Amino acid sequence: MFFEDFARKNTLFFILQWLLLALVIAVLVGSASALFLFSLDWATATRLQHHWLIWLLPFAGFAVGWVYLRFGRDVEAGNNLILEEVHSPAKVIPLRMAPLVFLGTVISHLFGASVGREGTAVQMGASLADQFTSMLKLNDEARRMVLMTGVSAGFSSVFGTPLAGAIFGLEVMALGRMRYTAIFPCLLAAIVADQVGLMWGVHHTHYAMSIIPQMSVWTLGAVIIAGCCFGLAARVFAQATHLISGVMKTHVAYPPLRPFIGGVIVVTAVYLLHADRYIGLGIPVIVDAFQHPLAPWDFLGKLAFTVTSLGSGFKGGEVTPLFYVGATLGNALAPLLHLPFAFLAGIGFVAIFAGAANTPIASTLMAIELFGADIGIYAAMGCVVAYLVSGYTGIYRSQRIACLKHGLVPQGMKLAELPAWQREQAQAAARHGEVKTDS
C-alpha cells in the first residue's frame, strides 16, 4: 500500500504527506468545532432566556434517542467506537456520526441536560478524518494515525489547548502507552485546528490563577492528599455513569425511553432543589470556583446530575462536567488543606480529568496551557496521583490496559471486560478455598 511504502522509504516524504493530510483534517475539524461552540453558546443563552425549556428535556431526550435508534445505531457507541477502530480496525466510521452527535449535544444543552462538549468534538474530528481512509486507500496503521489526528484536532479546538490535544489523541487509546508514530500529525493538527477556531472568532474561557504557593513539604503533601480525593471522585463518576447506563439498558428495552426517564429525573430535581447551577456546561460556576468559596456540596450536585444525564443516554461529553466537579471539589478542599482557592481549583480541574480519562500527561499539559508553567509541578503530581487512585476505571470503556497501574490484571484487556474477569477470579479463589477446606 502507498502509505506503507512511503513510511518505510522516505522520511521527508512521510513528513510532507502527513503535513498535507493533517492540515486538511485540522481545517475541517477546527471549522466544525467552531460551529459547534457557537451553537452551544446559542443553546445556553436561549435556555437561560427561556427557563421553561427545561420542562421539555424528557421529550428532547426521547427525540434524540429515536433519531439514534432510527439512523445512528452503528455510531451510538461514540468515543468507544473510535477507540475500537484504532485497536481493531474494521470499517470506516460513518460520516453521519458528526451531524448526529452535533445536533444531539446542542439539543441536550438547549433543554438543560448536564453534559459536556469534548465527546462531540472528538467524535466529529474522528469521523471527518476517517473519511480519508477510503479516499486514500489507507492501510490499518495509517488509518490509526488518521483517527488519532482527528481526535487531537477535535480536543484541541474545543478547549483551546493544542499541546494537551495532541497528547490526548495519543494517550487516551490505552493505559500507559502512546503510539509515537502519530505524534507529528497529531501535534500539527492540534495546533492548526486551534488556530482555525480562533480565526473563526472562537473565544475560550480564561481562568484566573493569581497565587501559586512556594514549594514546600506541606504544599506537595497537600497536593498528594487532594490528588487522592480527585482520583476517588473520578472513579465514582465513571463507575456511576456506567452503572446507570447498565441499569437503563437492562430494565428499559426501548432506547428512546431511557433519556426520557433521565430527563424526568433531571427536571424534577431542578424544580424541587432549585438546582439550575448543575445543568448545562456550568462554566460560570467553574469560573467562580477560582475566585471565592462555594457551597461544599457543589461537586456532588454536578456529579449526580451529569451521571444521570449521560447514563440515561443524553449526548455530549464528560470532560467539562469533570472540570466542574474537580474545580468545585478543589474549592471545597482548599480551606481544609490551607491552600489558595484558585490554586486547588486548578489542580482539581485537570486532576479529575486525568483520573477519569487515564490521561495524566495530557492533563498536566492542559494545566500549563490554561494556568501557566508555574503550576506544572503541582499539576503533574495531582494528575499522576489521581490517575493511580482511580484504578482500572474510566469514562472510556474501550481503553486497553497496556501498562499496569498497580495490581495484576491482564494486559491488553478492555476496561469494560475487567469487572467480569475480576468476578471470575474471585469465584475461582472461592472455589480454591473450598477445596482446601474440604481437604
Side-chain angles (χ1 to χ4, degrees), residues 224-354:
I224 293 173
I225 294 171
C228 292
C229 297
F230 299 137
L232 289 173
R235 188 169 189 160
V236 170
F237 184 98
Q239 291 181 337
T241 302
H242 300 322
L243 176 63
I244 293 173
S245 178
V247 169
M248 283 286 189
K249 290 177 181 178
T250 300
H251 298 286
V252 183
Y254 188 54
L257 279 179
R258 298 167 193 161
F260 180 87
I261 295 171
V264 169
I265 295 172
V266 170
V267 169
T268 303
V270 168
Y271 176 74
L272 294 178
L273 303 176
H274 304 286
D276 297 79
R277 67 192 285 110
Y278 302 134
I279 61 176
L281 284 175
I283 297 294
V285 179
I286 299 176
V287 173
D288 286 345
F290 285 79
Q291 298 174 349
H292 55 77
L294 300 178
W297 55 81
D298 272 345
F299 77 95
L300 284 175
K302 185 62 172 178
L303 190 151
F305 274 78
T306 304
V307 299
T308 301
S309 298
L310 292 173
S312 61
F314 281 96
K315 300 305 174 186
E318 300 90 348
V319 174
T320 303
L322 280 169
F323 293 161
Y324 184 124
V325 174
T328 52
L329 177 55
N331 182 281
L333 291 173
L336 301 177
L337 297 175
H338 305 289
L339 292 173
F341 288 104
F343 172 72
L344 208 53
I347 300 295
F349 185 104
V350 294
I352 194 170
F353 170 47

